[in-house]
């Protein structure tokens, strides 16, 4: 059920004119996003070794490129949050978890994990629909 | 300078006009005061309670503004309304009265408190406790200090008067001092904010400079300042603790000064007070600029003095180590004031201004009461906070200003004037703000406020409220914010109805398990281009528990119905297989019989060859001794076990003539060996004289012996003890005792069957003198071939007769058992274990002595007739002959009719001789030949005719 969006002046805005669901083609599709994340990770991390000095900038650039790539996918009216964690592979155990307070109908997230011998990278993209 | 002062006055003039308006605002003030009085009572009541509850925590001194101070303020107000001189005295009385009143309150509220105590909230109660303690400390300190202060005040006043006489400015300084004491008390509340210390340090320096510029007369003060600086840091810590008492003291001090001031001059005093009030108010409202700077300076003499007299109290130590820019500015203002006061007119105007300000101070104090009572509401607080922000901004500005001031003072007046203008404007604004504030404070009805809010409010209030230039912007901003917020809120409210927000399931983004040590090792290992294999080391292989050796095994097979070609086989015996096949082809039974017979024959032949060789040498000598014989053989009796033994008997087999049985008695010289007492019987083959075929032994003395009739397999013997023994020669030698003598082995055979164990009644009671087998009639014919003998069936039974000395003839049946019993027989106790032949008692025949009936015995005399010999008639075994010791031969039959004649007697009388032998004519003639002991054969021969049988 979608509401037709009407652009009106503040005085004329009725109660039910908000677009509270994304269009079907604009919906946050997890599979697509995961694929996108994976591609970006492959491009940027293949053969990269963990160097503590370079990793902050690396993670930042990775997050940015993922975000830009996702923007190209055209998730209209979605706020995108991309979180990238890069850690060194030292044999330690690690657990990462995320919890969201959101509208489960519209909002979703996608993640992908990239690991090589020296580092692991967890990239998660959260798509929050902006009403 | 003048110009600036004029402006200043203008501004001062302007401000009172505004304040008059404000005063109209505060018309309800008096009524409010009455209300506040009642509130004050309540508060006091509470304080009493607290005093009662905990007197221990007296050191707690934090909250500066207390009730007493405000009460004093109020008192001052009331004083102002009435005539002031009277007021002074009344004030004193009231002080005392109030104490009494408080006691009354205490009593009264004891009851009230009990009723209401339960209803009091716990949180509030604790706060009250704290506050009460503080108040109490203040109270007691105040009581103590009051006495000192009075004395101090007098001294100070004296000094002040002297100084005032010298110089009016000096006197004013004292005023400043007083005001500053109070202001400092206020200021010290903010001492917790230490940010401004650095500023203050600067300010102090600037102060010095300014003062130097000002007057040479202030040199004294400079000296004091010097001292103060020295003490400043040391006392900072103490200040905080003593602020409260110090402040209170200052307040009291000020009151007293006012009183004293009356004496010195009403005009001076009024002026001083007014100024102080105004300054105080300015400071409070944040608009007053110049007070505190001079306060700082003016306080120094006081402080100095105080230090000398009451060091332990440290009231004077309420030093302005934290003097801020406000104080500086006030100082500047005051300079201007001082300048302006040079003329009376100006003085009066300023006085007027101050009087107006005093009224405002009243309002302020009322407001303070509100704050004290915790009646301020939140908005009020917020207002204060807003002001605070403004003040901070201003403080910074002022800091700049001050720097500029410094420059300005050095460079010129123009710049200063511009700054002053700004300051004045700021002051005006501050006044406006103050008015608003006051009006707002009054507009809200007094409500009970909780403790923390109170504190905050006190702090904020104590902060000098000053010019708020940003107020308009904030309002606009707020409006803007509220507008957008409203929009957003509306949108949010509408949207929230349409959507559901929920917490997602906690998504696990990453779950890396820790790498195990082994994995890590393998990871590193794998990269080093090596492999891993498993090996087993021998750690657990211990031989401690191994007890048996490894068994040797080899494979072999066999089959029961032996095939001609293959009986058994296997890797080990494959070569010997043909031989075994050959062996198995032969009939073992036949072979054994063949070998047996062949061995005998060969043995005999060998023996013959030997004897033929020997006969040439050895036997030749014997031939001479035996004239009646062609030749003779020497049996080899030179055997170890035959040494010392006497040959008792010889017996030849009637069937096999070459077989000879010799009986050897016991040893003549018996030794310890058991064998020596035994009798030995040797079976000889005369063709093999070198060694006996068989050696038989028994314990008793053998008196007679014989072979079995048909075959030579059995040997019978009669013993001296009356037993009949039987040997079975077929028994295997392994089952008998083996005697080892030198290198040769000799097998000693014990009897197979003995009649010793047979019932004694059925056996012989005397020595058996003769044993004789009963032959069948046809058996008299000699058995020709050797092999036929062997093939003779063993199962054939025959009878055996045995005769003892007393003529008892017992017939035995020789029975051969089909199978041998190695464990022995329980019924046949005489049978040896494994023996197969036994004797059964058949019948007994008692000889009737013919001599008794015929009178033979009479002839022969006393000698009893003894049977010596038994012979069965070879042609008819039913008849038997017994040779007697008396020379008689008795004839009898086993069964049937008695045969005649019964007794054969020798024909010639004379000495009877023993019958030693009997023999029959081999030609089937009915004659027999008897033999008597000692008689010649010839005679016997003659008698043969006589003894010829009738048949």
């Amino acid at each position: 059920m979608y509401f037709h969006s009407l652009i009106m002046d503040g005085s004329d805005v009725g109660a039910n004119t908000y677009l509270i669901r994304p269009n079907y083609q604009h919906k946050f599709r997890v599979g697509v996003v995961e694929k996108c994340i994976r591609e970006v990770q492959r491009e940027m991390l293949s053969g990269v070794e963990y160097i503590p000095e370079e990793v902050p900038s690396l993670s930042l650039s990775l997050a940015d490129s993922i975000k830009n790539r996702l923007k190209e996918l055209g998730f209209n009216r979605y706020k995108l949050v991309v979180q990238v964690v890069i850690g060194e592979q030292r044999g330690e155990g690690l657990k990462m978890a995320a919890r969201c307070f959101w509208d489960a109908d519209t909002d979703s997230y996608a993640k992908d994990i990239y690991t090589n011998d020296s580092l692991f990278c967890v990239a998660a993209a959260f798509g929050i629909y902006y009403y | 300078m003048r110009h600036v002062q004029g402006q200043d006055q203008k501004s001062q003039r302007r401000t009172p006009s505004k304040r008059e308006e404000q005063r109209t605002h505060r018309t309800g003030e008096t009524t409010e005061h009455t209300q506040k009085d009642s509130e004050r009572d309540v508060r006091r009541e509470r304080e009493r309670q607290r005093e009662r509850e905990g007197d221990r925590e007296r050191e707690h001194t934090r909250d500066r503004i207390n009730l007493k101070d405000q009460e004093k303020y109020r008192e001052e107000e009331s004083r102002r309304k009435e005539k002031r001189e009277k007021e002074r005295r009344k004030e004193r009385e009231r002080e005392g009265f109030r104490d009494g009143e408080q006691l009354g309150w205490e009593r009264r509220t004891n009851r009230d408190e009990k009723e209401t105590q339960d209803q009091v909230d716990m949180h509030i109660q604790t706060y009250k406790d704290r506050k009460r303690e503080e108040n109490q400390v203040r109270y007691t300190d105040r009581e103590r200090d009051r006495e000192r202060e009075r004395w101090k005040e007098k001294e100070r006043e004296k000094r002040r008067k002297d100084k005032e006489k010298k110089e009016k400015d000096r006197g004013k300084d004292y005023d400043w001092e007083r005001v500053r004491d109070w202001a400092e008390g206020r200021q010290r509340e903010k001492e917790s904010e230490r940010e401004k210390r650095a500023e203050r340090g600067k300010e102090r320096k600037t102060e010095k400079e300014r003062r130097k510029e000002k007057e040479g007369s202030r040199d004294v003060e400079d000296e004091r300042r010097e001292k103060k600086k020295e003490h400043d840091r040391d006392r900072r810590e103490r200040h905080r603790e003593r602020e409260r008492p110090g402040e209170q003291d200052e307040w009291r001090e000020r009151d007293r000064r006012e009183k004293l001031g009356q004496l010195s001059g009403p005009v001076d005093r009024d002026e001083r007070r007014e100024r102080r009030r105004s300054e105080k108010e300015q400071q409070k409202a944040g608009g007053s600029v110049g007070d505190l700077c001079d306060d700082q300076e003016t306080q120094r003499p006081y402080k100095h003095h105080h230090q000398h007299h009451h060091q332990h109290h440290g009231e004077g130590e309420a030093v302005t180590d934290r003097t801020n820019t406000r104080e500086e500015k006030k100082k500047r203002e005051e300079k201007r004031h001082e300048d302006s006061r040079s003329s009376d007119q100006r003085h009066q105007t300023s006085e007027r201004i101050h009087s107006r300000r005093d009224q405002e101070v009243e309002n302020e104090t009322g407001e303070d009461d509100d704050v004290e009572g915790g009646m301020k509401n939140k908005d009020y607080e917020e207002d204060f906070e807003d002001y605070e922000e403004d003040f901070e901004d201003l403080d910074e500005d002022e800091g700049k200003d001050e720097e500029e001031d410094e420059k300005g003072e050095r460079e010129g007046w123009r710049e200063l004037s511009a700054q002053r203008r700004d300051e004045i404007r700021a002051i005006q604004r501050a006044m406006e703000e103050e008015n608003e504030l006051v009006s707002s404070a009054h507009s809200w009805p007094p409500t009970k406020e909780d403790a923390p809010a109170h504190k905050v409010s006190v702090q904020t209030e104590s902060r000098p409220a000053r010019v708020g230039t940003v107020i308009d912007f904030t309002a606009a901003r707020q409006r803007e914010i509220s507008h957008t917020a409203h929009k957003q809120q509306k949108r949010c409210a509408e949207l929230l109805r349409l959507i559901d927000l929920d917490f997602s399931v906690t998504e696990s983004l990453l779950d890396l398990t820790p790498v195990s040590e082994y994995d890590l090792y393998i990871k590193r290992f794998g990269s080093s281009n090596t492999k891993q294999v498993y090996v087993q080391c021998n750690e657990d292989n211990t031989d401690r528990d191994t007890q048996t050796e490894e068994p040797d095994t080899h494979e072999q097979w066999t089959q029961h119905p032996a095939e001609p070609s293959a009986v058994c086989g296997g890797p080990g015996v494959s070569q010997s297989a043909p031989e075994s096949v050959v062996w198995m082809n032969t009939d073992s039974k036949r072979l054994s019989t063949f070998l047996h017979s062949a061995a005998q024959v060969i043995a005999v032949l060998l023996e013959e060859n030997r004897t033929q060789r020997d006969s040439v040498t050895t036997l030749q000598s014997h031939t001479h001794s035996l004239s009646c014989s062609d030749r003779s053989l020497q049996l080899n009796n030179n055997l170890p076990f035959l040494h010392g033994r006497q040959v008792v008997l010889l017996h030849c087999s009637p069937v096999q003539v070459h077989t000879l049985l010799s009986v050897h008695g016991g040893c003549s010289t018996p030794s310890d060996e058991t064998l020596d007492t035994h009798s030995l019987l040797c079976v000889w083959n005369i063709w093999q004289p070198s060694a006996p075929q068989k050696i038989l032994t028994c314990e008793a003395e053998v008196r007679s012996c014989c072979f079995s009739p048909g075959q030579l397999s059995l040997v019978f013997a009669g013993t001296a003890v009356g037993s009949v023994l039987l040997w079975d020669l077929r028994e295997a030698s392994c089952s008998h005792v083996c005697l080892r003598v030198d290198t040769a082995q000799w097998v000693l055979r014990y009897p197979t069957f003995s009649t010793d164990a047979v019932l004694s009644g059925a056996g012989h009671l005397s020595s058996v003198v003769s044993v004789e087998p009963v032959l069948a009639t046809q058996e008299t014919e000699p058995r020709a071939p050797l092999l036929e003998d062997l093939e003779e069936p063993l199962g054939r039974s025959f009878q055996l007769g045995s005769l003892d000395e007393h003529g008892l003839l017992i017939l035995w049946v020789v029975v051969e058992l089909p199978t041998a019993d190695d464990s022995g027989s329980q019924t046949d106790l005489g049978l040896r274990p494994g023996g197969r032949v036994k004797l059964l008692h058949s019948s007994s025949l008692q000889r009737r002595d013919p001599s008794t009936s015929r009178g033979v015995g009479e002839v022969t005399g006393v000698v009893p007739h003894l049977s010596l010999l038994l012979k069965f008639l070879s042609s008819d075994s039913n008849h038997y002959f017994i040779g007697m010791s008396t020379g008689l031969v008795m004839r009898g039959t086993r069964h049937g009719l008695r045969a005649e004649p019964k007794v054969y007697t020798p024909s010639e009388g004379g000495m009877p001789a023993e019958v030693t032998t009997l023999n029959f004519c081999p030609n089937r003639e009915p004659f027999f030949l008897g033999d008597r002991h000692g008689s010649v054969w010839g005679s016997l021969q003659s008698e043969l005719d006589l003894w010829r049988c009738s048949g």
Side-chain angles (χ1 to χ4, degrees):
Chain A
M1 184 176 76
Y2 303 115
F3 294 96
H4 189 66
S5 68
L6 293 171
I7 301 168
M8 293 179 167
D9 292 338
S11 58
D12 295 337
V13 169
N16 277 344
T17 57
Y18 302 115
L19 185 65
I20 65 163
R21 288 291 181 271
N23 290 327
Y24 188 73
Q25 66 270 23
H26 293 147
K27 198 167 176 169
F28 191 86
R29 281 157 292 165
V30 175
V32 176
V33 178
E34 262 180 12
K35 193 180 160 205
C36 174
I37 292 172
R38 195 174 301 126
E39 281 171 8
V40 176
Q41 278 181 335
R42 295 284 176 283
E43 285 169 20
M44 299 188 65
L45 291 177
S46 56
V48 172
E49 283 208 358
Y50 186 89
I51 301 165
E53 292 79 19
E54 295 175 6
V55 161
S57 60
L58 179 66
S59 59
L60 197 66
S61 64
L62 190 64
D64 283 338
S65 55
I66 289 172
K67 190 182 73 184
N68 293 330
R69 200 74 72 87
L70 290 180
K71 278 180 178 174
E72 292 169 12
L73 293 175
F75 299 123
N76 286 356
R77 298 197 68 171
Y78 266 100
K79 295 279 183 196
L80 295 171
V81 179
V82 178
Q83 185 193 23
V84 173
V85 174
I86 296 178
E88 189 174 10
Q89 286 266 37
R90 297 296 293 264
E92 293 97 339
L94 187 77
K95 274 184 194 294
M96 273 179 63
R99 202 171 182 208
C100 312
F101 182 64
W102 63 16
D103 184 358
D105 291 343
T106 60
D107 307 337
S108 184
Y109 89 103
K111 62 134 197 218
D112 196 38
I113 301 166
Y114 177 87
T115 56
N116 60 21
D117 285 343
S118 74
L119 59 82
F120 64 89
C121 171
V122 182
F126 298 86
I128 315 296
Y129 185 72
Y130 188 63
Y131 300 105
Chain B
M1 190 80 179
R2 278 258 169 233
H3 175 67
V4 175
Q5 278 174 358
Q7 274 190 338
D8 192 17
Q9 282 174 350
K10 261 187 182 177
S11 67
Q12 280 180 351
R13 259 171 235 142
R14 239 188 298 165
T15 48
S17 64
K18 279 178 184 173
R19 273 173 200 182
E20 281 172 3
E21 292 171 10
Q22 289 296 325
R23 228 187 294 165
T24 53
H25 254 286
R26 297 174 192 176
T27 44
E29 189 183 320
T30 49
T31 51
E32 258 183 53
H33 270 290
T34 54
Q35 285 177 6
K36 280 167 194 163
D37 281 339
S38 63
E39 282 168 15
R40 196 201 322 161
D41 291 343
V42 176
R43 217 175 298 137
R44 227 181 281 156
E45 181 187 335
R46 268 187 228 142
E47 286 173 8
R48 296 293 129 61
Q49 284 173 223
R50 286 170 211 150
E51 282 172 11
R52 265 176 272 135
E53 281 171 14
D55 293 334
R56 303 158 238 157
E57 308 171 56
R58 296 204 170 184
E59 303 303 315
H60 219 255
T61 58
R62 252 182 43 199
D63 216 352
R64 222 105 304 130
I65 295 175
N66 56 40
L67 207 78
K68 303 302 162 193
D69 297 343
Q70 288 174 357
E71 282 171 5
K72 279 174 187 173
Y73 264 37
R74 244 167 261 135
E75 286 160 18
E76 283 175 356
E77 289 165 25
S78 58
R79 264 178 263 148
R80 219 173 292 134
K81 284 170 187 172
E82 295 168 8
K83 292 238 170 180
R84 272 158 194 170
E85 286 129 10
K86 285 179 185 177
E87 269 301 318
R88 292 285 169 280
R89 284 157 207 147
K90 280 177 186 175
E91 184 60 37
R92 279 265 165 266
E93 291 164 8
R94 256 163 92 171
E95 287 278 346
F97 171 72
R98 220 194 296 154
D99 291 344
E101 197 182 47
Q102 281 175 358
L103 287 170
W105 269 108
E106 195 175 328
R107 266 176 254 134
R108 237 183 299 159
T109 50
N110 268 339
R111 278 169 281 155
D112 296 336
E113 187 220 307
K114 280 169 191 169
E115 295 167 28
T116 56
Q117 205 167 8
D118 295 338
Q119 300 165 0
V120 178
D121 189 7
M122 203 60 198
H123 183 253
I124 293 171
Q125 192 68 36
T126 51
Y127 175 72
K128 280 176 187 169
D129 288 348
R130 217 192 312 153
K131 225 198 153 188
R132 173 187 33 107
E133 286 158 15
E134 291 166 5
N135 287 336
Q136 198 187 5
V137 171
R138 262 181 269 142
Y139 185 74
T140 50
D141 285 348
R142 193 181 52 195
E143 297 269 281
R144 244 182 288 141
D145 293 340
R146 208 174 282 155
E147 299 300 318
R148 290 175 208 145
E149 287 303 322
R150 270 172 216 150
W151 184 75
K152 261 193 277 173
E153 276 304 318
K154 281 171 190 170
E155 277 193 348
R156 260 179 234 147
E157 276 305 324
K158 280 175 193 170
R159 261 163 59 188
R160 221 179 291 152
K161 281 174 193 170
D162 294 338
K163 282 175 186 171
E164 279 173 354
K165 280 170 192 171
K166 286 177 187 171
E167 200 175 311
K168 211 179 182 182
D169 289 343
R170 266 297 202 217
K172 278 172 189 170
D173 282 349
Y174 281 109
D175 281 350
W176 293 122
E177 181 189 351
R178 264 181 274 145
V179 173
R180 198 179 154 243
D181 285 349
W182 174 82
E184 270 186 347
R186 298 302 227 146
Q187 287 298 322
R188 255 172 259 130
E189 287 178 1
K190 292 194 216 160
E191 281 184 354
S192 57
E193 307 165 10
R194 299 186 178 179
E195 326 139 324
K196 294 173 184 175
R197 266 181 207 171
E199 274 187 15
R200 268 173 243 139
K202 274 190 221 163
E203 286 158 16
R204 249 174 264 140
K205 285 174 188 173
T206 55
E207 277 177 349
K208 275 189 224 167
E209 290 168 1
R210 255 176 259 140
R211 271 168 220 144
K212 281 169 187 172
E213 287 175 358
K214 251 185 172 179
E215 288 170 345
S217 63
R218 291 204 173 182
D219 290 343
V220 187
E221 287 182 3
D222 287 343
E223 288 172 13
R224 285 170 190 165
R225 211 192 313 149
E226 292 285 327
K227 286 179 185 175
K228 174 216 153 192
K229 276 186 179 176
E230 289 172 4
H231 289 288
D232 248 351
R233 275 173 206 168
D234 302 346
R235 286 163 195 166
R236 237 171 243 170
E237 305 303 319
R238 275 182 285 167
H239 281 178
R240 267 164 231 148
E241 296 170 5
R242 292 169 190 174
E243 267 167 0
R244 186 161 294 280
E247 187 193 21
Q248 288 170 357
D249 290 344
E250 282 163 17
W251 278 104
R252 260 167 254 133
E253 198 180 337
R254 193 185 56 197
D255 287 348
R256 274 160 227 144
R257 272 185 216 151
E258 284 169 4
K259 286 176 206 166
L260 292 168
Q262 278 186 332
L263 299 173
S264 65
V267 182
D268 267 8
R269 187 200 63 204
D270 284 351
E271 183 193 315
R272 255 180 266 140
R273 255 173 70 195
E274 280 166 9
R275 194 171 293 177
R276 173 177 35 98
R277 288 275 153 79
S278 67
E279 284 160 3
K280 181 176 66 188
E281 187 210 307
Q282 273 184 336
Q283 190 211 7
K284 265 191 168 181
S288 67
V289 181
D291 289 357
L292 286 170
C293 300
D294 281 32
D295 278 356
Q296 208 175 12
E297 291 176 351
T298 52
Q299 201 193 355
R300 262 169 221 139
Y302 154 68
K303 192 182 68 191
H304 190 66
H305 162 84
H306 191 74
Q307 281 168 12
H308 285 300
H309 294 285
H310 301 281
Q311 278 184 358
H312 65 282
H313 248 280
E315 295 134 309
E317 292 163 12
V319 184
T320 60
D321 46 316
R322 303 175 161 240
T323 53
N324 52 23
T325 56
R326 256 171 277 130
E327 291 169 1
E328 301 290 320
K329 290 207 171 178
K330 277 183 184 177
K331 192 178 80 181
R332 264 176 263 138
E333 289 280 334
E334 284 305 319
K335 280 183 208 161
R336 281 173 237 143
H337 275 297
E338 283 167 17
D339 292 340
S340 65
R341 272 170 217 145
S342 60
S343 64
D344 286 340
Q345 202 181 5
R346 276 177 193 167
H347 188 217
Q348 281 173 359
T349 53
S350 67
E351 204 177 327
R352 241 186 296 151
I353 292 162
H354 286 307
S355 65
R356 273 167 197 168
R357 279 182 183 174
D358 280 352
Q359 287 173 346
E360 284 180 2
V361 166
E362 285 173 18
N363 294 338
E364 276 300 314
T365 50
E367 187 184 297
D368 283 354
D369 276 353
D370 287 350
V371 172
E372 276 296 310
M375 292 160 197
K376 223 172 62 169
N377 64 22
K378 215 180 177 184
D379 290 347
Y380 187 80
E381 247 181 84
E382 284 169 356
D383 282 350
F384 272 116
E385 284 167 35
D386 287 343
Y387 288 129
E388 272 178 37
E389 290 171 13
D390 297 341
F391 296 154
E392 281 168 5
D393 294 341
L394 281 172
D395 285 344
E396 290 169 9
D397 293 341
E398 281 163 6
K400 290 175 194 168
D401 286 353
E402 194 185 289
E403 289 170 14
E404 289 170 19
D405 284 353
E406 289 172 24
K407 289 177 193 169
E409 279 172 352
R410 283 168 211 150
E411 291 167 8
W413 287 110
R414 232 179 282 167
E415 289 163 0
L416 268 174
S417 65
Q419 289 169 6
R420 293 253 160 104
R421 246 177 276 138
D422 292 341
E423 286 169 12
I424 288 154
R425 249 177 269 142
I427 289 162
Q428 287 169 358
R429 258 179 247 128
M431 282 171 170
E432 287 170 18
E433 291 305 323
E434 184 196 354
N435 289 337
E436 284 178 23
L437 182 126
V438 169
S439 63
S440 64
H442 280 283
S443 64
W444 287 305
T447 53
K448 290 205 171 182
E449 194 188 41
D450 52 358
H454 176 187
K455 271 187 179 175
V456 170
S457 69
V458 167
Q459 286 178 355
T460 53
E461 189 208 22
S462 63
R463 268 196 139 176
R466 278 205 191 167
V467 194
T469 51
V470 205
I471 278 175
D472 292 336
F473 294 114
T474 54
R477 200 170 56 207
Q478 274 184 350
R479 218 180 307 129
E480 229 175 281
I481 290 164
S482 67
H483 180 66
T484 53
H486 176 69
K487 259 169 70 180
Q488 279 181 347
Q489 200 174 357
K490 193 184 161 200
R491 182 186 167 85
C492 176
E494 284 171 348
L495 276 169
L496 276 176
R497 276 187 284 125
L498 301 172
I499 59 175
D500 293 326
L501 291 181
D502 53 354
F503 281 107
S504 67
V505 184
T506 303
E507 321 270 1
S508 177
L509 293 179
L510 176 65
D511 196 353
L512 264 181
T513 52
V515 177
S516 70
E517 209 169 304
Y518 179 75
D519 287 344
L520 203 66
Y521 169 73
I522 283 299
K523 202 176 165 187
R524 250 181 257 147
F525 193 78
S527 61
S528 63
N529 197 24
T530 45
K531 288 201 290 196
Q532 218 184 20
V533 291
Y534 284 105
V535 292
Q536 191 172 11
C537 54
N538 236 4
E539 276 173 355
D540 54 340
N541 184 16
T542 58
D543 57 354
R544 186 172 40 186
D545 295 333
T546 306
Q547 291 183 337
T548 58
E549 290 179 1
E550 196 71 14
D552 281 335
T553 58
H554 65 270
E555 220 173 293
Q556 195 118 26
W557 60 265
T558 183
Q559 51 186 358
H560 173 52
E563 289 293 315
S565 58
V567 175
C568 61
V573 293
S574 56
Q575 290 179 345
S576 62
E579 286 180 25
S580 65
V581 169
V582 170
W583 276 110
M584 294 311 292
N585 262 339
T586 59
D587 187 348
S588 61
K589 195 176 177 183
R590 277 185 65 204
L591 180 68
S592 65
T593 52
F594 168 75
L595 285 175
H596 187 75
S597 55
Q600 274 186 344
V601 171
I602 288 166
V604 168
L605 289 174
L606 287 172
E607 195 77 19
E608 277 178 1
N609 289 338
R610 197 183 67 182
T611 49
Q612 278 178 350
R613 259 184 282 119
D614 291 345
S615 60
V616 180
T617 56
T618 57
L619 291 178
Q620 281 295 329
S621 58
H622 291 292
T623 54
H624 295 288
S625 57
L626 294 173
S627 58
C628 62
S629 163
D630 293 347
R631 53 192 184 120
S632 65
L633 295 174
Q634 175 69 46
L635 292 178
N636 184 19
N637 56 358
N638 193 21
L639 295 172
F641 52 90
L642 293 177
H643 282 302
R645 290 180 189 266
Q646 201 174 6
V647 175
V648 182
L649 201 59
L650 279 175
H651 181 76
C652 285
S653 169
V655 182
Q656 293 183 5
V657 289
H658 59 276
T659 305
L660 182 71
L661 183 67
S662 65
V663 178
H664 303 262
C667 284
S668 54
T669 56
S671 66
D672 293 335
E673 296 179 32
T674 54
L675 191 63
D676 289 347
T677 60
H678 292 185
S679 296
L680 291 176
L681 290 90
C682 295
V683 179
W684 300 87
N685 185 343
I686 57 169
W687 309 120
Q688 292 177 294
S690 61
Q693 301 284 311
K694 303 266 189 320
I695 301 164
L696 316 177
T697 182
C698 68
E699 289 150 357
E701 183 188 353
V702 175
R703 301 290 292 271
S704 60
C705 65
C706 69
F707 283 108
S708 59
Q711 52 198 357
L712 300 179
S713 58
L714 299 177
V715 174
F716 302 95
T719 65
V721 296
S723 63
V724 180
L725 306 176
L726 183 152
W727 282 270
D728 186 358
L729 301 179
R730 294 167 300 176
E731 287 178 352
S733 58
C734 62
S735 62
H736 292 277
V737 177
C738 183
L739 179 67
R740 205 178 278 275
V741 179
D742 296 335
T743 57
Q745 273 191 346
W746 304 101
V747 177
L748 298 178
R749 297 171 184 259
Y750 281 87
T752 304
F753 186 82
S754 168
T755 60
D756 286 337
V758 181
L759 292 173
S760 55
H764 294 285
L765 298 177
S766 58
S767 62
V768 176
V769 293
S770 180
V771 285
E772 191 75 14
V774 179
L775 300 173
T777 313
Q778 300 84 3
E779 286 178 1
T780 53
E781 294 174 6
R783 303 298 171 94
L786 191 69
L787 289 176
E788 285 180 8
D789 285 344
L790 289 168
E791 288 175 1
E792 195 178 357
L794 293 171
R796 182 191 278 182
S797 63
F798 59 94
Q799 282 190 326
L800 179 75
S802 63
L803 177 72
D804 65 4
E805 283 179 335
H806 293 95
L808 179 65
L809 174 68
I810 297 175
L811 296 172
W812 309 90
V813 177
V814 178
V815 179
E816 187 171 1
L817 300 175
T819 57
D821 187 2
D822 286 336
S823 63
S825 170
Q826 294 188 345
T827 54
D828 294 325
L829 297 177
L831 186 64
R832 182 177 174 271
R836 291 175 64 190
V837 182
K838 70 176 182 178
L839 295 174
L840 290 177
H841 181 265
S842 174
S843 59
S844 305
L845 295 172
Q846 182 62 43
R847 158 190 71 91
R848 289 175 302 274
D849 196 353
S851 60
T852 52
S853 57
R854 288 244 190 135
V856 177
E858 294 169 2
V859 177
T860 56
V862 288
V863 182
H865 301 282
L866 292 177
S867 301
L868 296 176
L869 195 64
L870 172 71
K871 246 349 183 178
F872 288 96
L873 187 64
S874 57
S875 56
D876 184 5
S877 61
N878 196 25
H879 295 265
Y880 59 87
F881 294 86
I882 298 171
M884 306 290 285
S885 60
T886 55
L888 299 175
V889 175
M890 297 187 71
R891 181 176 174 170
T893 55
R894 289 184 294 168
H895 45 75
L897 296 173
R898 194 178 291 178
E900 288 297 333
K902 289 182 182 179
V903 176
Y904 296 94
T905 55
S907 57
E908 55 183 283
M911 276 296 289
E914 290 178 357
V915 176
T916 56
T917 181
L918 283 173
N919 216 331
F920 298 100
C921 178
N923 302 324
R924 289 189 172 263
E925 290 299 316
F927 300 105
F928 71 91
L929 182 65
D931 189 12
R932 286 189 285 190
H933 180 66
S935 63
V936 288
W937 291 94
S939 62
L940 285 174
Q941 196 64 38
S942 61
E943 289 175 11
L944 281 174
D945 297 334
L946 291 173
W947 292 351
R948 193 178 156 180
C949 295
S950 62

